[in-house]
Amino acid sequence: MRQECFPPASNPVIKRSVIIEHIRNLPAELPPRACLLGLDLGDKTIGMAVSDDGRMIASPLEVIRRTKFTKDAERILQVIADYNIGGIVIGLPVNMDGSEGPRCQSARQFGANLAGKTDVAIGFWDERMSTQAMERHLIAQDVSRKRRSEVIDKMAAQYILQGALDFLRNLSD
């Protein structure tokens, strides 16, 4: 558990950026009973999912249309405040061969920019095939194409976050 240090009242509050290099180190940075926020970063949208405070189950939350980073970050910061978020898991679109391309660099840059606006820990989770997996699931459930397009990004965020939650739970077992 990290120790919080509060500056004297006369000093401005400086936010501490916490980027976690490996997801296994994320729990050490989380307050007890804090939820996690999962993000699926697309070119046009950001899918969001949230965990319960026991960090067992991820639930799809919403999709925001991407505009400018500042506006997108404002909505994410509001979700952080509304849902007692203690950490963020951002999907990292790793190539099938395990290498990182421009989309990974973009996701890492988004995480770094977001870290400058909040003090919650931010980690990354390999999201290979998350959108495709959710697309196949929704097709199997006979969800219409229009409805799939409305929910796919938040379902992909749920898939990413659930994968991270399962991994973290298996570490503690």
mmCIF file of all heavy atoms in Angstrom, residues 119-157:
data_model
loop_
_atom_site.group_PDB
_atom_site.id
_atom_site.type_symbol
_atom_site.label_atom_id
_atom_site.label_comp_id
_atom_site.label_asym_id
_atom_site.label_seq_id
_atom_site.Cartn_x
_atom_site.Cartn_y
_atom_site.Cartn_z
ATOM 1 N N ASP A 119 -3.918 11.064 -9.959
ATOM 2 C CA ASP A 119 -2.913 10.341 -9.184
ATOM 3 C C ASP A 119 -3.241 8.860 -9.044
ATOM 4 O O ASP A 119 -2.577 8.149 -8.300
ATOM 5 C CB ASP A 119 -2.703 10.982 -7.815
ATOM 6 C CG ASP A 119 -3.966 11.022 -6.982
ATOM 7 O OD1 ASP A 119 -5.041 10.681 -7.504
ATOM 8 O OD2 ASP A 119 -3.894 11.396 -5.809
ATOM 9 N N VAL A 120 -4.237 8.366 -9.754
ATOM 10 C CA VAL A 120 -4.528 6.930 -9.711
ATOM 11 C C VAL A 120 -3.502 6.190 -10.567
ATOM 12 O O VAL A 120 -3.011 6.715 -11.569
ATOM 13 C CB VAL A 120 -5.969 6.580 -10.159
ATOM 14 C CG1 VAL A 120 -7.006 7.238 -9.286
ATOM 15 C CG2 VAL A 120 -6.196 6.903 -11.608
ATOM 16 N N ALA A 121 -3.165 4.990 -10.147
ATOM 17 C CA ALA A 121 -2.195 4.176 -10.861
ATOM 18 C C ALA A 121 -2.764 3.735 -12.207
ATOM 19 O O ALA A 121 -3.950 3.444 -12.324
ATOM 20 C CB ALA A 121 -1.828 2.961 -10.017
ATOM 21 N N ILE A 122 -1.896 3.679 -13.205
ATOM 22 C CA ILE A 122 -2.293 3.288 -14.554
ATOM 23 C C ILE A 122 -1.407 2.138 -15.010
ATOM 24 O O ILE A 122 -0.183 2.236 -14.962
ATOM 25 C CB ILE A 122 -2.181 4.470 -15.537
ATOM 26 C CG1 ILE A 122 -3.113 5.607 -15.100
ATOM 27 C CG2 ILE A 122 -2.475 4.023 -16.964
ATOM 28 C CD1 ILE A 122 -2.960 6.881 -15.898
ATOM 29 N N GLY A 123 -2.065 1.064 -15.434
ATOM 30 C CA GLY A 123 -1.352 -0.086 -15.967
ATOM 31 C C GLY A 123 -1.891 -0.443 -17.338
ATOM 32 O O GLY A 123 -2.942 0.049 -17.760
ATOM 33 N N PHE A 124 -1.158 -1.298 -18.031
ATOM 34 C CA PHE A 124 -1.548 -1.702 -19.376
ATOM 35 C C PHE A 124 -1.757 -3.212 -19.412
ATOM 36 O O PHE A 124 -1.082 -3.957 -18.710
ATOM 37 C CB PHE A 124 -0.469 -1.298 -20.388
ATOM 38 C CG PHE A 124 -0.273 0.184 -20.463
ATOM 39 C CD1 PHE A 124 0.675 0.820 -19.681
ATOM 40 C CD2 PHE A 124 -1.065 0.962 -21.293
ATOM 41 C CE1 PHE A 124 0.847 2.196 -19.728
ATOM 42 C CE2 PHE A 124 -0.907 2.339 -21.346
ATOM 43 C CZ PHE A 124 0.061 2.952 -20.561
ATOM 44 N N TRP A 125 -2.724 -3.652 -20.243
ATOM 45 C CA TRP A 125 -3.031 -5.067 -20.374
ATOM 46 C C TRP A 125 -3.116 -5.413 -21.855
ATOM 47 O O TRP A 125 -3.764 -4.708 -22.620
ATOM 48 C CB TRP A 125 -4.363 -5.378 -19.681
ATOM 49 C CG TRP A 125 -4.736 -6.811 -19.748
ATOM 50 C CD1 TRP A 125 -5.721 -7.366 -20.522
ATOM 51 C CD2 TRP A 125 -4.133 -7.888 -19.038
ATOM 52 N NE1 TRP A 125 -5.771 -8.723 -20.318
ATOM 53 C CE2 TRP A 125 -4.797 -9.069 -19.406
ATOM 54 C CE3 TRP A 125 -3.087 -7.976 -18.112
ATOM 55 C CZ2 TRP A 125 -4.458 -10.309 -18.900
ATOM 56 C CZ3 TRP A 125 -2.755 -9.207 -17.598
ATOM 57 C CH2 TRP A 125 -3.443 -10.356 -17.991
ATOM 58 N N ASP A 126 -2.451 -6.483 -22.241
ATOM 59 C CA ASP A 126 -2.445 -6.959 -23.622
ATOM 60 C C ASP A 126 -3.885 -7.237 -24.054
ATOM 61 O O ASP A 126 -4.554 -8.080 -23.479
ATOM 62 C CB ASP A 126 -1.603 -8.224 -23.696
ATOM 63 C CG ASP A 126 -1.490 -8.787 -25.105
ATOM 64 O OD1 ASP A 126 -2.269 -8.383 -25.993
ATOM 65 O OD2 ASP A 126 -0.617 -9.645 -25.300
ATOM 66 N N GLU A 127 -4.338 -6.516 -25.045
ATOM 67 C CA GLU A 127 -5.734 -6.640 -25.467
ATOM 68 C C GLU A 127 -5.890 -7.327 -26.811
ATOM 69 O O GLU A 127 -6.941 -7.215 -27.449
ATOM 70 C CB GLU A 127 -6.387 -5.252 -25.527
ATOM 71 C CG GLU A 127 -5.810 -4.369 -26.621
ATOM 72 C CD GLU A 127 -6.823 -3.433 -27.223
ATOM 73 O OE1 GLU A 127 -7.810 -3.922 -27.802
ATOM 74 O OE2 GLU A 127 -6.622 -2.230 -27.119
ATOM 75 N N ARG A 128 -4.883 -8.074 -27.229
ATOM 76 C CA ARG A 128 -4.988 -8.746 -28.525
ATOM 77 C C ARG A 128 -6.322 -9.468 -28.660
ATOM 78 O O ARG A 128 -6.709 -10.224 -27.782
ATOM 79 C CB ARG A 128 -3.866 -9.773 -28.688
ATOM 80 C CG ARG A 128 -2.589 -9.172 -29.194
ATOM 81 C CD ARG A 128 -1.561 -10.234 -29.345
ATOM 82 N NE ARG A 128 -0.810 -10.326 -28.087
ATOM 83 C CZ ARG A 128 0.338 -10.944 -27.973
ATOM 84 N NH1 ARG A 128 0.865 -11.552 -28.995
ATOM 85 N NH2 ARG A 128 0.956 -10.969 -26.813
ATOM 86 N N MET A 129 -6.999 -9.194 -29.727
ATOM 87 C CA MET A 129 -8.227 -9.894 -30.100
ATOM 88 C C MET A 129 -9.442 -9.591 -29.206
ATOM 89 O O MET A 129 -10.458 -10.261 -29.311
ATOM 90 C CB MET A 129 -8.002 -11.411 -30.138
ATOM 91 C CG MET A 129 -6.837 -11.845 -31.026
ATOM 92 S SD MET A 129 -7.018 -11.354 -32.742
ATOM 93 C CE MET A 129 -8.214 -12.544 -33.287
ATOM 94 N N SER A 130 -9.375 -8.607 -28.342
ATOM 95 C CA SER A 130 -10.510 -8.344 -27.449
ATOM 96 C C SER A 130 -11.754 -7.927 -28.226
ATOM 97 O O SER A 130 -12.845 -8.440 -27.965
ATOM 98 C CB SER A 130 -10.148 -7.288 -26.408
ATOM 99 O OG SER A 130 -9.803 -6.061 -27.022
ATOM 100 N N THR A 131 -11.604 -7.025 -29.167
ATOM 101 C CA THR A 131 -12.762 -6.571 -29.924
ATOM 102 C C THR A 131 -13.321 -7.721 -30.771
ATOM 103 O O THR A 131 -14.543 -7.918 -30.829
ATOM 104 C CB THR A 131 -12.397 -5.366 -30.811
ATOM 105 O OG1 THR A 131 -11.932 -4.311 -29.957
ATOM 106 C CG2 THR A 131 -13.597 -4.872 -31.607
ATOM 107 N N GLN A 132 -12.432 -8.498 -31.373
ATOM 108 C CA GLN A 132 -12.890 -9.620 -32.188
ATOM 109 C C GLN A 132 -13.608 -10.654 -31.323
ATOM 110 O O GLN A 132 -14.620 -11.221 -31.742
ATOM 111 C CB GLN A 132 -11.711 -10.280 -32.921
ATOM 112 C CG GLN A 132 -11.088 -9.393 -33.977
ATOM 113 C CD GLN A 132 -10.020 -8.455 -33.410
ATOM 114 O OE1 GLN A 132 -9.908 -8.256 -32.204
ATOM 115 N NE2 GLN A 132 -9.247 -7.857 -34.288
ATOM 116 N N ALA A 133 -13.096 -10.914 -30.131
ATOM 117 C CA ALA A 133 -13.738 -11.881 -29.234
ATOM 118 C C ALA A 133 -15.136 -11.409 -28.855
ATOM 119 O O ALA A 133 -16.097 -12.197 -28.845
ATOM 120 C CB ALA A 133 -12.892 -12.102 -27.988
ATOM 121 N N MET A 134 -15.276 -10.136 -28.556
ATOM 122 C CA MET A 134 -16.586 -9.606 -28.183
ATOM 123 C C MET A 134 -17.522 -9.579 -29.384
ATOM 124 O O MET A 134 -18.718 -9.835 -29.241
ATOM 125 C CB MET A 134 -16.459 -8.201 -27.573
ATOM 126 C CG MET A 134 -15.894 -8.215 -26.178
ATOM 127 S SD MET A 134 -16.973 -8.999 -24.957
ATOM 128 C CE MET A 134 -16.459 -10.689 -24.990
ATOM 129 N N GLU A 135 -16.987 -9.286 -30.555
ATOM 130 C CA GLU A 135 -17.806 -9.302 -31.778
ATOM 131 C C GLU A 135 -18.370 -10.707 -32.006
ATOM 132 O O GLU A 135 -19.561 -10.878 -32.262
ATOM 133 C CB GLU A 135 -16.948 -8.872 -32.976
ATOM 134 C CG GLU A 135 -17.713 -8.784 -34.275
ATOM 135 C CD GLU A 135 -18.454 -7.471 -34.460
ATOM 136 O OE1 GLU A 135 -18.084 -6.467 -33.843
ATOM 137 O OE2 GLU A 135 -19.435 -7.474 -35.226
ATOM 138 N N ARG A 136 -17.525 -11.731 -31.901
ATOM 139 C CA ARG A 136 -17.996 -13.115 -32.067
ATOM 140 C C ARG A 136 -19.038 -13.465 -31.009
ATOM 141 O O ARG A 136 -20.040 -14.117 -31.313
ATOM 142 C CB ARG A 136 -16.806 -14.089 -31.977
ATOM 143 C CG ARG A 136 -15.954 -14.102 -33.226
ATOM 144 C CD ARG A 136 -14.947 -15.249 -33.222
ATOM 145 N NE ARG A 136 -14.072 -15.252 -32.067
ATOM 146 C CZ ARG A 136 -12.917 -14.592 -31.979
ATOM 147 N NH1 ARG A 136 -12.505 -13.863 -32.995
ATOM 148 N NH2 ARG A 136 -12.184 -14.665 -30.892
ATOM 149 N N HIS A 137 -18.815 -13.033 -29.780
ATOM 150 C CA HIS A 137 -19.773 -13.306 -28.698
ATOM 151 C C HIS A 137 -21.131 -12.672 -28.993
ATOM 152 O O HIS A 137 -22.174 -13.311 -28.852
ATOM 153 C CB HIS A 137 -19.217 -12.795 -27.366
ATOM 154 C CG HIS A 137 -20.195 -12.864 -26.244
ATOM 155 N ND1 HIS A 137 -20.548 -14.049 -25.630
ATOM 156 C CD2 HIS A 137 -20.908 -11.885 -25.625
ATOM 157 C CE1 HIS A 137 -21.436 -13.803 -24.679
ATOM 158 N NE2 HIS A 137 -21.675 -12.503 -24.660
ATOM 159 N N LEU A 138 -21.111 -11.419 -29.421
ATOM 160 C CA LEU A 138 -22.366 -10.719 -29.703
ATOM 161 C C LEU A 138 -23.090 -11.329 -30.913
ATOM 162 O O LEU A 138 -24.318 -11.423 -30.923
ATOM 163 C CB LEU A 138 -22.108 -9.224 -29.910
ATOM 164 C CG LEU A 138 -21.663 -8.470 -28.646
ATOM 165 C CD1 LEU A 138 -21.200 -7.062 -29.000
ATOM 166 C CD2 LEU A 138 -22.773 -8.429 -27.613
ATOM 167 N N ILE A 139 -22.330 -11.751 -31.910
ATOM 168 C CA ILE A 139 -22.943 -12.412 -33.070
ATOM 169 C C ILE A 139 -23.591 -13.721 -32.628
ATOM 170 O O ILE A 139 -24.719 -14.042 -33.029
ATOM 171 C CB ILE A 139 -21.899 -12.647 -34.183
ATOM 172 C CG1 ILE A 139 -21.535 -11.306 -34.825
ATOM 173 C CG2 ILE A 139 -22.427 -13.637 -35.229
ATOM 174 C CD1 ILE A 139 -20.356 -11.377 -35.778
ATOM 175 N N ALA A 140 -22.888 -14.474 -31.779
ATOM 176 C CA ALA A 140 -23.442 -15.742 -31.279
ATOM 177 C C ALA A 140 -24.724 -15.511 -30.480
ATOM 178 O O ALA A 140 -25.607 -16.373 -30.443
ATOM 179 C CB ALA A 140 -22.413 -16.464 -30.421
ATOM 180 N N GLN A 141 -24.858 -14.350 -29.872
ATOM 181 C CA GLN A 141 -26.055 -14.005 -29.103
ATOM 182 C C GLN A 141 -27.130 -13.392 -29.988
ATOM 183 O O GLN A 141 -28.152 -12.922 -29.492
ATOM 184 C CB GLN A 141 -25.701 -13.027 -27.970
ATOM 185 C CG GLN A 141 -24.721 -13.581 -26.948
ATOM 186 C CD GLN A 141 -25.269 -14.808 -26.268
ATOM 187 O OE1 GLN A 141 -26.411 -14.838 -25.837
ATOM 188 N NE2 GLN A 141 -24.456 -15.853 -26.199
ATOM 189 N N ASP A 142 -26.868 -13.345 -31.300
ATOM 190 C CA ASP A 142 -27.809 -12.834 -32.291
ATOM 191 C C ASP A 142 -28.130 -11.353 -32.075
ATOM 192 O O ASP A 142 -29.264 -10.912 -32.258
ATOM 193 C CB ASP A 142 -29.097 -13.677 -32.299
ATOM 194 C CG ASP A 142 -29.839 -13.547 -33.616
ATOM 195 O OD1 ASP A 142 -29.185 -13.272 -34.649
ATOM 196 O OD2 ASP A 142 -31.070 -13.702 -33.604
ATOM 197 N N VAL A 143 -27.109 -10.595 -31.676
ATOM 198 C CA VAL A 143 -27.273 -9.151 -31.502
ATOM 199 C C VAL A 143 -27.156 -8.492 -32.874
ATOM 200 O O VAL A 143 -26.253 -8.821 -33.662
ATOM 201 C CB VAL A 143 -26.192 -8.599 -30.524
ATOM 202 C CG1 VAL A 143 -26.276 -7.091 -30.405
ATOM 203 C CG2 VAL A 143 -26.327 -9.267 -29.165
ATOM 204 N N SER A 144 -28.053 -7.564 -33.160
ATOM 205 C CA SER A 144 -28.066 -6.915 -34.473
ATOM 206 C C SER A 144 -26.780 -6.116 -34.700
ATOM 207 O O SER A 144 -26.108 -5.697 -33.765
ATOM 208 C CB SER A 144 -29.269 -5.976 -34.591
ATOM 209 O OG SER A 144 -29.076 -4.829 -33.791
ATOM 210 N N ARG A 145 -26.461 -5.909 -35.970
ATOM 211 C CA ARG A 145 -25.260 -5.162 -36.333
ATOM 212 C C ARG A 145 -25.285 -3.755 -35.723
ATOM 213 O O ARG A 145 -24.286 -3.267 -35.206
ATOM 214 C CB ARG A 145 -25.153 -5.074 -37.856
ATOM 215 C CG ARG A 145 -23.896 -4.403 -38.350
ATOM 216 C CD ARG A 145 -23.870 -4.311 -39.871
ATOM 217 N NE ARG A 145 -24.098 -5.580 -40.524
ATOM 218 C CZ ARG A 145 -23.146 -6.415 -40.907
ATOM 219 N NH1 ARG A 145 -21.902 -6.107 -40.691
ATOM 220 N NH2 ARG A 145 -23.453 -7.549 -41.515
ATOM 221 N N LYS A 146 -26.441 -3.113 -35.777
ATOM 222 C CA LYS A 146 -26.565 -1.758 -35.216
ATOM 223 C C LYS A 146 -26.305 -1.769 -33.711
ATOM 224 O O LYS A 146 -25.546 -0.943 -33.189
ATOM 225 C CB LYS A 146 -27.964 -1.207 -35.486
ATOM 226 C CG LYS A 146 -28.159 0.199 -34.950
ATOM 227 C CD LYS A 146 -29.544 0.736 -35.307
ATOM 228 C CE LYS A 146 -29.668 2.186 -34.948
ATOM 229 N NZ LYS A 146 -30.345 2.453 -33.734
ATOM 230 N N ARG A 147 -26.898 -2.700 -33.011
ATOM 231 C CA ARG A 147 -26.705 -2.793 -31.558
ATOM 232 C C ARG A 147 -25.259 -3.156 -31.221
ATOM 233 O O ARG A 147 -24.695 -2.640 -30.264
ATOM 234 C CB ARG A 147 -27.679 -3.819 -30.960
ATOM 235 C CG ARG A 147 -27.574 -3.954 -29.466
ATOM 236 C CD ARG A 147 -28.078 -2.710 -28.748
ATOM 237 N NE ARG A 147 -27.968 -2.918 -27.320
ATOM 238 C CZ ARG A 147 -27.568 -2.014 -26.460
ATOM 239 N NH1 ARG A 147 -27.275 -0.800 -26.863
ATOM 240 N NH2 ARG A 147 -27.492 -2.292 -25.187
ATOM 241 N N ARG A 148 -24.644 -4.043 -32.023
ATOM 242 C CA ARG A 148 -23.239 -4.409 -31.787
ATOM 243 C C ARG A 148 -22.357 -3.182 -31.875
ATOM 244 O O ARG A 148 -21.464 -2.990 -31.047
ATOM 245 C CB ARG A 148 -22.765 -5.459 -32.796
ATOM 246 C CG ARG A 148 -23.260 -6.842 -32.512
ATOM 247 C CD ARG A 148 -22.493 -7.903 -33.296
ATOM 248 N NE ARG A 148 -22.299 -7.657 -34.709
ATOM 249 C CZ ARG A 148 -23.055 -8.126 -35.680
ATOM 250 N NH1 ARG A 148 -24.120 -8.867 -35.392
ATOM 251 N NH2 ARG A 148 -22.783 -7.868 -36.934
ATOM 252 N N SER A 149 -22.607 -2.337 -32.864
ATOM 253 C CA SER A 149 -21.770 -1.142 -33.026
ATOM 254 C C SER A 149 -21.922 -0.180 -31.847
ATOM 255 O O SER A 149 -21.001 0.559 -31.532
ATOM 256 C CB SER A 149 -22.075 -0.435 -34.342
ATOM 257 O OG SER A 149 -23.351 0.168 -34.302
ATOM 258 N N GLU A 150 -23.077 -0.228 -31.191
ATOM 259 C CA GLU A 150 -23.308 0.650 -30.040
ATOM 260 C C GLU A 150 -22.596 0.166 -28.776
ATOM 261 O O GLU A 150 -22.246 0.966 -27.925
ATOM 262 C CB GLU A 150 -24.814 0.744 -29.751
ATOM 263 C CG GLU A 150 -25.601 1.442 -30.826
ATOM 264 C CD GLU A 150 -27.103 1.291 -30.633
ATOM 265 O OE1 GLU A 150 -27.552 0.611 -29.684
ATOM 266 O OE2 GLU A 150 -27.853 1.842 -31.455
ATOM 267 N N VAL A 151 -22.405 -1.150 -28.648
ATOM 268 C CA VAL A 151 -21.898 -1.698 -27.387
ATOM 269 C C VAL A 151 -20.515 -2.337 -27.474
ATOM 270 O O VAL A 151 -19.928 -2.648 -26.444
ATOM 271 C CB VAL A 151 -22.881 -2.725 -26.785
ATOM 272 C CG1 VAL A 151 -24.237 -2.093 -26.523
ATOM 273 C CG2 VAL A 151 -23.001 -3.964 -27.647
ATOM 274 N N ILE A 152 -19.985 -2.530 -28.686
ATOM 275 C CA ILE A 152 -18.761 -3.311 -28.837
ATOM 276 C C ILE A 152 -17.581 -2.741 -28.052
ATOM 277 O O ILE A 152 -16.812 -3.494 -27.446
ATOM 278 C CB ILE A 152 -18.399 -3.501 -30.334
ATOM 279 C CG1 ILE A 152 -17.283 -4.541 -30.492
ATOM 280 C CG2 ILE A 152 -18.001 -2.185 -30.984
ATOM 281 C CD1 ILE A 152 -17.713 -5.929 -30.181
ATOM 282 N N ASP A 153 -17.439 -1.429 -28.024
ATOM 283 C CA ASP A 153 -16.274 -0.837 -27.360
ATOM 284 C C ASP A 153 -16.319 -0.996 -25.845
ATOM 285 O O ASP A 153 -15.302 -1.265 -25.217
ATOM 286 C CB ASP A 153 -16.125 0.633 -27.756
ATOM 287 C CG ASP A 153 -15.829 0.782 -29.234
ATOM 288 O OD1 ASP A 153 -14.943 0.070 -29.731
ATOM 289 O OD2 ASP A 153 -16.493 1.597 -29.892
ATOM 290 N N LYS A 154 -17.496 -0.835 -25.252
ATOM 291 C CA LYS A 154 -17.557 -1.029 -23.797
ATOM 292 C C LYS A 154 -17.469 -2.503 -23.435
ATOM 293 O O LYS A 154 -16.955 -2.861 -22.380
ATOM 294 C CB LYS A 154 -18.783 -0.353 -23.182
ATOM 295 C CG LYS A 154 -20.118 -0.913 -23.567
ATOM 296 C CD LYS A 154 -21.234 -0.110 -22.905
ATOM 297 C CE LYS A 154 -22.604 -0.556 -23.339
ATOM 298 N NZ LYS A 154 -23.656 0.263 -22.715
ATOM 299 N N MET A 155 -17.923 -3.376 -24.338
ATOM 300 C CA MET A 155 -17.772 -4.817 -24.110
ATOM 301 C C MET A 155 -16.295 -5.213 -24.227
ATOM 302 O O MET A 155 -15.814 -6.051 -23.456
ATOM 303 C CB MET A 155 -18.612 -5.611 -25.106
ATOM 304 C CG MET A 155 -20.103 -5.383 -24.999
ATOM 305 S SD MET A 155 -20.822 -6.064 -23.511
ATOM 306 C CE MET A 155 -20.707 -7.799 -23.844
ATOM 307 N N ALA A 156 -15.584 -4.609 -25.170
ATOM 308 C CA ALA A 156 -14.146 -4.875 -25.294
ATOM 309 C C ALA A 156 -13.408 -4.371 -24.048
ATOM 310 O O ALA A 156 -12.492 -5.036 -23.552
ATOM 311 C CB ALA A 156 -13.586 -4.227 -26.555
ATOM 312 N N ALA A 157 -13.820 -3.222 -23.520
ATOM 313 C CA ALA A 157 -13.216 -2.710 -22.275
ATOM 314 C C ALA A 157 -13.479 -3.677 -21.126
ATOM 315 O O ALA A 157 -12.598 -3.925 -20.291
ATOM 316 C CB ALA A 157 -13.761 -1.321 -21.955
#
